[in-house]
């Protein structure tokens, strides 16, 4: 049963792309303040799973609850859900025609109903927090990938979400820039934000995750605290994955 | 340590001998054609009989007043400005409809474009005016309604749409022109909307923007930026296409020019004159769009 501490509660979630069964009987809970890392080989359904959490993808079977309320494609609270659930994408997805500051101001004004003044103040505050207030008046294309991703994090945080979803946030970055993004994410984790991250950064998982979820072929194979997950993986499939990813 | 040093000089891309030769040949060709034309073409230019049709002294008031050609130009400008606005609105609406997932809006948008684009413009104008508009416009009795309004309001209407007596006529031409051009704008807008990556919409969704806000603030501005050159071309085309409605007695520049040409018999003077006028109008708009393009290029890598 869901209690006040549970944010997301998934039970028996199934999804198909055409005839491809991409999520199989996925059940999972995410509690308030928890940091979850989802990993697994490509095509294992981890991105699809995280995209179901804010309904960018719609599941076909099973239940997903957010704060106890059932969510789905027709739920009238979809906009509310998305305002409460922030998301950071692999390709940043900043709005290229708006300045960094406008990227952060627009959604606050349109979706949260804030005045421009309030929105600007909050945007600047968050740009400080991700260490790039000086880039506020630049356009996304003028920034490096790492800077763009930090702006994307700030933009999402501007909406004052209850949980942040990260969909492979460092996969499109040069090695030099991965650290600056991970540092921001670690700071965010330390501030107590609930986070669900799809990532291959095992160092990040070890450092901040409360729980690591391993997926393969659309199913959750194993979930455990990082210490146990990395040292004593239960399934053969997990061991194989870890040996490949940690081997180099 | 590698020393920093200035780059080697880049080769100049100015004039070459070939360029000069081509230019000389072209100028020679033009001079030769001009000489041939003036040998065979016995025409006495007489501009003096055309000027009074631009501006004249009103015999009743004794003051200078615009005559038919200038009045025609005003009508053309009104047609162009309102036409650009209306055609763009139609284009956005239908372009939006054409990119929906639902069948009905797509069907409506596609049928509209298909019908307009596959009929010659002249035929479209006749069909539109005689079979469609002429049955509906009189029913609205717009001019009659406007005449009952206070004088100040009528002045505003005259400023925006021309003489009240010609109001029905003008609106008929305007709607015809806008529906016609709107189909081409629709296709340009559709191409623009489809050029915006899906991820942009997803970013909008994930931030909790409504569907309308995603379209208005995220997709449409990016689409416009991409298709601005094509859109500029189509809207300049609209100014020129406004001459089409002269066929159905909308008294714009081309219509008036034909009138003047008939009464003065100065064919070349009249048409050279309006050619220059259209050229200036279109050049003005393309300069404006050029500025817009430069402005919207901000933020591009």
């Amino acid at each position: 049963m869901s209690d006040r501490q549970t944010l997301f509660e998934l039970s028996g979630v199934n999804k198909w792309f055409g005839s491809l069964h991409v999520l199989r009987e996925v059940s999972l809970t995410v509690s308030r303040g928890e940091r979850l890392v989802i990993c697994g080989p490509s095509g294992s359904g981890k991105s699809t799973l995280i995209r179901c959490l804010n309904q960018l993808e719609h599941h076909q079977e099973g239940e997903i609850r957010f704060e106890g309320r059932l969510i789905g494609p027709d739920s009238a609270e979809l906009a509310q859900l998305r305002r409460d659930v922030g998301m950071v994408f692999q390709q940043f997805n900043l709005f290229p025609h708006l300045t960094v500051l406008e990227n952060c101001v627009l959604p606050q004004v349109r979706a949260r109903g804030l005045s421009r003044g309030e929105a600007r103040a909050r945007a600047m505050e968050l740009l400080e927090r991700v260490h790039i207030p000086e880039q506020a008046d630049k356009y996304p294309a003028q920034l490096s990938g790492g800077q763009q991703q930090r702006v994307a994090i700030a933009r999402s945080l501007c909406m004052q979400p209850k949980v942040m979803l990260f969909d492979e946030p460092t996969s499109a970055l040069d090695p030099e820039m991965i650290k600056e993004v991970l540092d921001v994410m670690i700071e965010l984790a330390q501030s107590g934000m609930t986070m669900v991250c799809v990532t291959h950064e095992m160092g990040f998982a070890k450092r901040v995750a409360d729980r690591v979820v391993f997926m393969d072929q659309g199913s959750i194979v194993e979930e455990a605290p990082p210490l146990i997950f990395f040292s004593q993986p239960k399934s053969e499939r997990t061991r194989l994955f870890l040996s490949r990813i940690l081997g180099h | 340590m590698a020393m920093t040093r200035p780059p080697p000089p880049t080769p100049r891309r100015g004039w070459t001998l070939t360029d000069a030769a081509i230019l000389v040949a072209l100028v020679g060709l033009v001079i030769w054609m001009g000489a041939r034309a003036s040998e065979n073409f016995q025409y006495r230019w007489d501009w003096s009989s055309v000027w009074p049709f631009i501006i004249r002294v009103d015999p009743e008031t004794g003051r200078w007043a615009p005559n038919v050609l200038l009045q025609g130009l005003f009508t053309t400008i009104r047609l162009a400005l309102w036409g650009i606005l209306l055609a763009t609105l139609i284009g956005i609406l239908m372009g939006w409809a054409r990119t929906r997932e639902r069948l009905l809006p797509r069907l409506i948008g596609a049928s509209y474009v298909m019908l307009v684009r596959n009929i010659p413009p002249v035929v479209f104008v006749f069909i539109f005016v005689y079979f469609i508009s002429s049955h509906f416009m009189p029913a609205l009795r717009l001019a009659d309604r406007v005449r009952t309004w206070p004088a100040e309001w009528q002045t505003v209407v005259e400023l925006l749409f021309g003489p009240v007596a010609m109001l029905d006529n003008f609106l008929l031409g305007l709607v015809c022109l806008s529906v016609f051009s709107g189909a081409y704008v629709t296709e340009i807008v559709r191409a623009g909307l489809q050029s915006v990556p899906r991820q942009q919409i997803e970013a909008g969704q994930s931030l909790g923007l409504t569907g309308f806000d995603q379209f208005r603030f995220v997709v449409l501005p990016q689409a416009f930026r991409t298709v601005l050159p094509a859109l500029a071309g189509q809207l300049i085309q609209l100014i020129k296409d406004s001459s089409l409605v002269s066929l159905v007695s909308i008294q714009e520049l081309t219509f008036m020019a034909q009138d003047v040409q008939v009464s003065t018999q100065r064919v070349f003077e009249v048409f050279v004159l309006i050619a220059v006028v259209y050229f200036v109008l279109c050049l003005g708009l393309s300069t404006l769009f050029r500025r817009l393009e430069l402005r919207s290029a901000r933020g591009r890598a």
Side-chain angles (χ1 to χ4, degrees), chain B residues 15-297:
Chain B
W15 278 96
T16 65
L17 214 58
T18 327
D19 293 334
I22 291 171
L23 188 68
V24 167
L26 281 174
V27 170
L29 186 69
V30 170
I31 291 174
W32 177 74
M33 281 169 67
R36 282 227 20 117
S38 62
E39 259 174 46
N40 300 329
F41 183 72
Q42 298 299 328
Y43 188 80
R44 285 184 50 244
W45 294 89
D46 173 21
W47 291 92
S48 61
S49 56
V50 178
W51 302 135
F53 289 96
I54 301 174
I55 188 163
R56 62 171 183 149
V57 178
D58 193 317
E60 284 173 29
T61 60
R63 276 187 293 185
W64 289 97
N67 204 354
V68 287
L69 284 179
L70 208 51
Q71 287 166 2
L73 172 63
F74 293 154
T75 305
T76 289
I77 291 174
R78 289 189 184 105
L79 272 176
L81 291 180
W82 287 111
I84 285 171
L85 189 73
L86 263 181
T88 308
L89 287 177
I90 292 174
I92 291 173
L93 186 71
M94 288 295 171
W96 172 83
R98 291 212 65 182
T99 51
R100 290 309 89 191
E101 270 179 38
R102 287 163 53 92
L103 184 63
L104 184 67
R106 266 191 295 142
L107 202 65
I108 293 171
S111 315
Y112 164 60
V113 170
M114 190 179 70
L115 275 174
V116 175
R117 278 211 310 191
N118 296 310
I119 298 175
V122 177
V123 180
F124 174 83
V125 170
F126 278 120
I127 291 182
F128 190 88
V129 170
Y130 291 125
F131 289 94
I132 302 176
S133 306
S134 60
H135 298 290
F136 296 104
M137 290 300 293
L140 295 173
R141 297 157 54 85
L142 281 171
D144 293 346
R145 280 166 210 260
V146 173
R147 282 201 195 89
T148 65
W149 291 359
E152 312 87 78
W153 291 18
Q154 288 196 32
T155 318
V156 174
V157 170
E158 293 218 342
L159 192 70
L160 293 176
F161 301 102
V164 173
M166 306 294 291
L167 189 62
D168 287 351
N169 186 269
F170 173 80
L171 290 179
L172 187 69
L174 174 63
V175 172
C176 176
L177 179 66
S178 306
V179 169
F180 171 72
S181 293
Y184 296 90
V185 177
T186 296
E187 281 303 87
I188 293 172
V189 171
R190 178 181 66 90
L193 293 178
Q194 286 173 340
S195 77
V196 179
R198 243 203 85 69
Q199 287 91 323
Q200 287 290 311
I201 299 170
E202 286 182 354
Q205 287 174 335
S206 77
L207 289 162
L209 294 180
T210 62
F212 178 76
D213 280 354
Q214 289 162 29
F215 184 74
R216 162 76 182 77
F217 294 104
V218 177
V219 181
L220 199 58
Q222 295 186 53
F224 263 109
R225 203 162 76 163
T226 311
V227 300
L228 207 54
L231 190 65
Q234 191 56 49
L235 295 180
I236 290 163
Q237 184 73 43
L238 181 145
I239 296 186
K240 292 179 285 174
D241 285 342
S242 71
S243 62
L244 278 172
V245 295
S246 65
L247 290 170
V248 287
S249 309
I250 314 296
Q251 303 188 351
E252 44 69 76
L253 187 56
T254 303
F255 182 90
M256 294 303 202
Q258 279 166 339
D259 255 14
V260 172
Q261 172 244 310
V262 168
S263 62
T264 61
Q265 299 296 315
R266 306 313 305 179
V267 186
F268 293 104
E269 287 85 347
V270 171
F271 282 106
V272 166
L273 181 69
I274 69 162
V276 170
V277 172
Y278 276 113
F279 182 84
V280 170
L281 280 183
C282 293
L283 190 69
L285 188 64
S286 52
T287 311
L288 195 74
F289 267 102
R290 182 80 203 118
R291 293 237 176 112
L292 263 178
E293 238 179 273
L294 289 176
R295 234 176 74 96
S296 76

Side-chain angles (χ1 to χ4, degrees), chain A residues 118-137:
Chain A
E118 292 171 297
R120 284 173 71 95
R122 182 159 176 78
M124 283 314 294
E125 195 180 299
L126 279 151
L127 288 173
E128 301 256 3
R129 198 160 145 195
V130 299
H131 316 299
I132 35 175
E134 73 281 1
Q135 312 285 4
D137 294 320

Side-chain angles (χ1 to χ4, degrees), chain A residues 51 54 56 79 82-83 85 87 89 93-97 106-107 110-111 139 141 155 159, chain B residues 198-200 202-209 213-214 217-218 221-222 225 298-301:
Chain A
R51 286 160 63 86
N54 67 350
L56 284 184
R82 286 172 175 165
R83 266 173 268 153
V85 180
M87 186 169 216
F89 299 87
N93 299 0
L94 293 177
F95 303 134
H97 59 299
L106 174 75
R110 301 303 307 179
Y139 286 88
R155 176 175 74 174
M159 301 302 287
Chain B
R198 243 203 85 69
Q199 287 91 323
Q200 287 290 311
E202 286 182 354
Q205 287 174 335
S206 77
L207 289 162
L209 294 180
D213 280 354
Q214 289 162 29
F217 294 104
V218 177
Q222 295 186 53
R225 203 162 76 163
R298 288 177 314 182
R300 268 195 195 169

Side-chain angles (χ1 to χ4, degrees), chain A:
Chain A
M1 279 318 312
S2 65
D3 56 72
R4 286 186 55 81
Q5 283 311 304
T6 308
L7 268 187
F8 279 113
E9 190 173 20
L10 289 73
S11 57
V13 172
N14 279 286
K15 178 170 177 62
W16 290 261
F17 283 133
S19 59
L20 194 68
H21 199 171
V22 288
L23 289 181
R24 303 169 192 241
E25 294 297 321
V26 172
S27 296
L28 185 73
T29 54
V30 181
S31 304
R32 231 176 269 275
E34 193 175 25
R35 269 90 57 176
L36 202 70
V37 164
I38 303 175
C39 62
S42 56
S44 59
K46 52 196 193 304
S47 276
T48 307
L49 175 63
I50 203 173
R51 286 160 63 86
C52 280
L53 294 183
N54 67 350
Q55 290 289 295
L56 284 184
E57 301 285 356
H58 304 301
H59 56 291
Q60 282 137 316
E61 281 179 15
E63 284 186 352
I64 301 181
R65 287 174 185 277
F66 178 69
E67 294 188 312
R69 294 188 306 269
L70 214 52
I71 59 173
D74 304 319
S75 96
E77 291 155 345
L78 199 58
Q80 180 63 44
L81 168 81
R82 286 172 175 165
R83 266 173 268 153
D84 285 342
V85 180
M87 186 169 216
V88 174
F89 299 87
Q90 184 176 349
Q91 297 293 343
F92 332 132
N93 299 0
L94 293 177
F95 303 134
H97 59 299
L98 301 178
T99 62
V100 164
L101 187 63
E102 269 305 307
N103 262 279
C104 298
V105 168
L106 174 75
Q108 295 187 73
V109 173
R110 301 303 307 179
R112 275 262 183 243
L114 263 63
S115 75
R116 286 193 68 81
E118 292 171 297
R120 284 173 71 95
R122 182 159 176 78
M124 283 314 294
E125 195 180 299
L126 279 151
L127 288 173
E128 301 256 3
R129 198 160 145 195
V130 299
H131 316 299
I132 35 175
E134 73 281 1
Q135 312 285 4
D137 294 320
K138 288 197 182 163
Y139 286 88
Q142 295 169 297
L143 305 186
S144 72
Q147 290 173 323
Q148 288 190 52
Q149 192 61 298
R150 286 185 282 148
V151 172
I153 294 173
R155 176 175 74 174
S156 205
L157 288 175
C158 278
M159 301 302 287
Q160 298 176 282
K162 295 175 176 166
V163 50
M164 287 283 287
L165 310 177
F166 292 84
D167 188 3
E168 303 205 28
T170 56
S171 299
L173 296 176
D174 291 340
E176 291 174 72
M177 296 167 188
I178 290 177
K179 187 178 176 299
E180 66 186 54
V181 171
L182 287 180
D183 284 346
V184 166
M185 289 172 65
I186 290 167
E187 286 167 27
L188 189 61
Q190 286 162 349
S191 76
M193 174 63 76
T194 311
M195 294 163 72
V196 181
C197 314
V198 171
T199 182
H200 296 295
E201 296 297 328
M202 291 303 132
F204 173 78
K206 280 179 191 166
R207 182 145 173 212
V208 305
D210 297 306
R211 210 154 32 111
V212 180
V213 172
F214 176 70
M215 286 185 76
D216 191 29
Q217 294 182 351
S219 311
I220 292 180
V221 175
E222 188 162 346
E223 50 177 301
L227 217 62
I228 299 172
F229 180 81
F230 289 109
S231 57
Q232 311 151 30
K234 275 180 286 188
S235 91
E236 185 53 40
R237 189 69 196 84
T238 313
R239 239 167 285 164
L240 186 66
F241 174 76
L242 286 176
S243 72
R244 278 183 189 152
I245 205 162
L246 300 174
H248 54 83

